[in-house]
Amino acid sequence: MTEPMIRLNDLVLTYRNEAGPVEVLRRLRLDVTRGETVSVVGPSGSGKSSMMMVMAGLERATSGSVAIDGKNLGDLDEDALARFRGERIGIVFQDFHLIPTMSALENVAVPLELAGRRDAFEQASKTLQQVGLGHRLTHYPGQLSGGEQQRVALARAFAVQPRLLLADEPTGNLDGNTGEKVIELLFDLVSDHDTTLVLITHDPSLAERCSRTVRLADGQIIDDGTASASKTPKAEVAEPKLAAGV
Ligand code: ADP
Ligand code: MG
């Protein structure tokens, strides 16, 4: 139980395109403790979404490793990885990623059915009621407002009670007022379920609501939000962390 919820160890992600390989994540080292809420900030293109995709097991590390809840994702084949993700990780994207041909209820029931829950629809309905959408069960995503769609996405992410929630600019497509409501809901759900949160955002006031902020630039972590990192010059924190990491 002393294992961190997330451990990135010299994580490298390289994309290959016509121009050749591009190293998008460069030897990231990061531990996130259970129950921590971590915001991830940094300029556009710095690798925030890529880091989240690797944490979610939606991208494979090129080298180095990512462990979630004590499990090294590199040890899992595609099926095992999908199962692991389905049970332990909730993911929320900026553009909702709902299945357009399914009702709100069906969208939320899918991960529960995949997890083998016989009460999938009952549980989905309950979760939608919790996010204030009990009156929208049979609506399709196209019939819902942006804020409602994101609440469906939150219900879908939380339905299986994941230990880890990954959210990539969840209010990026919402107006200020709607975004605030979605964020209140997100933090309520996180604290009710004791979920570890990684929240990508470019909104400083939102970042501040998390217990810690990690800053990325050019594929590297330039500040990991720990007291030692912010008070000690970078060269000096690398060594003790190396020793403590094993
Ligand atoms: P952020 O979320 O911080 O804006 P991203 O993780 O989306 O950054 O992107 C980091 C870098 O990786 C960018 O330079 C981007 O162009 C590049 N990138 C992202 N996805 C791909 C891909 N599928 N193929 C090649 N390069 C990519
Ligand atoms: Mg991004």
Side-chain angles (χ1 to χ4, degrees):
M1 281 309 279
T2 52
E3 278 157 338
M5 178 56 73
I6 302 174
R7 171 162 289 172
L8 307 182
N9 195 12
D10 281 341
L11 172 73
V12 172
L13 177 68
T14 305
Y15 285 123
R16 302 197 172 274
N17 57 25
E18 290 114 46
V22 185
E23 203 168 79
V24 168
L25 300 176
R26 299 156 66 197
R27 295 179 76 94
L28 302 190
R29 280 180 167 242
L30 182 71
D31 275 5
V32 175
T33 310
R34 285 159 205 278
E36 248 187 321
T37 56
V38 177
S39 54
V40 178
V41 301
S44 174
S46 56
K48 304 181 297 295
S49 296
S50 301
M51 184 177 81
M52 195 188 96
M53 294 295 275
V54 180
M55 287 173 172
L58 293 167
E59 287 282 354
R60 295 271 189 185
T62 307
S63 68
S65 64
V66 49
I68 302 293
D69 208 5
K71 192 92 191 158
N72 185 347
L73 300 190
D75 293 341
L76 303 176
D77 65 23
E78 290 306 317
D79 285 350
L81 188 56
R83 220 174 309 127
F84 182 83
R85 186 188 309 120
E87 285 166 5
R88 315 246 184 131
I89 308 175
I91 310 173
V92 177
F93 297 95
Q94 179 172 346
D95 48 2
F96 323 133
H97 285 209
L98 297 175
I99 300 170
T101 54
M102 287 187 174
S103 69
L105 184 65
E106 288 165 337
N107 266 282
V108 179
V110 165
L112 289 158
E113 287 192 304
L114 289 175
R117 291 280 295 266
R118 294 172 74 188
D119 61 344
F121 279 84
E122 206 177 304
Q123 186 60 36
S125 164
K126 222 185 275 176
T127 313
L128 278 164
Q129 279 162 35
Q130 277 169 17
V131 302
L133 289 177
H135 59 308
R136 292 282 186 271
L137 301 184
T138 59
H139 283 59
Y140 289 87
Q143 300 172 318
L144 298 170
S145 71
E148 287 173 334
Q149 288 184 64
Q150 196 60 305
R151 282 192 277 156
V152 174
L154 274 174
R156 177 180 59 181
F158 273 99
V160 293
Q161 309 210 341
R163 300 198 188 153
L164 173 64
L165 181 74
L166 304 172
D168 191 351
E169 311 221 17
T171 57
N173 278 358
L174 305 176
D175 66 64
N177 217 339
T178 308
E180 251 163 57
K181 286 190 189 131
V182 165
I183 285 299
E184 291 309 324
L185 179 64
L186 186 151
F187 277 98
D188 281 351
L189 289 166
V190 162
S191 81
D192 286 354
H193 295 90
D194 251 335
T195 317
T196 307
L197 171 69
V198 174
L199 171 66
I200 298 176
T201 181
H202 56 255
D203 176 349
S205 67
L206 187 48
E208 265 177 28
R209 292 189 58 163
C210 294
S211 55
R212 178 179 168 199
T213 297
V214 168
R215 190 169 296 275
L216 283 187
D218 198 19
Q220 292 184 300
I221 292 174
I222 57 167
D223 185 353
D224 75 3
T226 59
S228 59
S230 52
K231 283 180 195 136
T232 321
K234 245 192 275 166
E236 287 180 48
V237 288
E239 289 304 313
K241 275 190 88 188
L242 271 176
V246 206

